[in-house]
């Protein structure tokens, strides 16, 4: 039996705090999304070599809850490059408190636009071959 594993580069590893909980006692979805936005922007900025803005979040899928005591991880990979935009698949996994088992909790596609100094869309530079 094949076991699913995280795909992509680990860009965020953080523990949610009690202030990040919703009224049901699980971690607030907005906190999860903001960590995923931050984690994917690391890859977008590195690829674009400029500042970027998040223009879209697609296919957001909350699979399981995140709880206080879990360690929250974002794994990111570029899945599409356009002229000025980049789409990054983000998988959020937690290391569960107590068991330390890895479980996927959320996934989504974040699209960023590369911006010039005036905030206008600017082309993604060609990748240099080493
Ligand atoms: C990012 C921004 C400057 C782009 O301006 P724009 O007028 O939409 O620019 P364009 O129409 O030239 O599109 C730029 C790129 O974004 C892509 N894009 C625009 N809207 C999109 C959407 N909803 N989904 C996916 N891609 C989108 C376009 O396809 C294009 O990609 P390409 O060059 O690779 O083909 C503008 O939308 C903006 O400022 N948005 C707010 C960003 C922000 O504040 N983010 C933080 C939110 S908390």
């Amino acid at each position: 039996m094949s076991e699913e594993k995280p795909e992509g580069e680990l860009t965020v590893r953080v523990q949610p705090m009690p202030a990040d909980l919703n009224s049901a006692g699980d971690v607030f979805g907005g906190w999860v999304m903001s960590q995923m936005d931050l984690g994917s922007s690391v890859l977008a900025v590195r690829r674009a070599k400029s500042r970027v803005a998040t223009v879209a979040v697609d296919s957001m899928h909350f699979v399981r809850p995140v709880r206080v005591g879990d360690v929250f991880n974002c794994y990111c990979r570029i899945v599409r490059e356009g002229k000025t935009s980049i789409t990054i698949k983000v998988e959020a996994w937690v290391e569960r408190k107590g068991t330390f088992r890895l479980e996927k909790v959320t996934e989504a596609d974040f699209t960023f636009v590369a911006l010039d100094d005036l905030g206008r869309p600017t082309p993604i530079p060609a990748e240099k071959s080493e």
Side-chain angles (χ1 to χ4, degrees):
M1 198 173 75
S2 70
E3 198 176 324
E4 193 185 9
K5 292 201 173 103
E7 272 190 73
E9 181 177 334
L10 179 64
T11 57
V12 165
R13 186 163 163 78
V14 64
Q15 273 195 304
M17 291 290 139
D20 305 317
L21 300 185
N22 62 24
S23 55
D26 293 323
V27 171
F28 179 51
W31 182 89
V32 170
M33 278 186 79
S34 72
Q35 300 301 322
M36 294 169 80
D37 194 17
L38 288 169
S40 50
S41 72
V42 170
L43 251 59
V45 166
R46 192 169 68 198
R47 178 64 190 89
K49 298 187 171 52
S50 68
R51 67 186 176 115
V52 298
T54 313
V55 75
V57 182
D58 294 296
S59 309
M60 191 88 195
H61 186 195
F62 293 98
V63 186
R64 294 192 185 90
V66 180
R67 303 188 185 99
V68 164
D70 294 342
V71 178
F72 179 90
N73 303 284
C74 286
Y75 294 86
C76 303
R77 62 187 193 277
I78 295 174
V79 291
R80 189 197 63 85
E81 290 185 13
K83 182 167 170 262
T84 66
S85 66
I86 302 169
T87 302
I88 295 177
K89 166 75 73 187
V90 186
E91 294 183 9
W93 291 67
V94 294
E95 228 174 276
R96 284 292 180 209
K97 181 185 177 184
T99 64
F100 305 102
R101 276 183 64 88
L102 264 185
E103 287 181 24
K104 181 151 79 174
V105 289
T106 306
E107 64 181 13
D109 296 330
F110 282 72
T111 299
F112 295 88
V113 178
L115 299 177
D116 66 15
D117 290 343
L118 297 175
R120 298 172 305 204
T122 188
I124 309 291
E127 267 194 303
K128 279 192 198 146
S129 52
E130 299 298 320

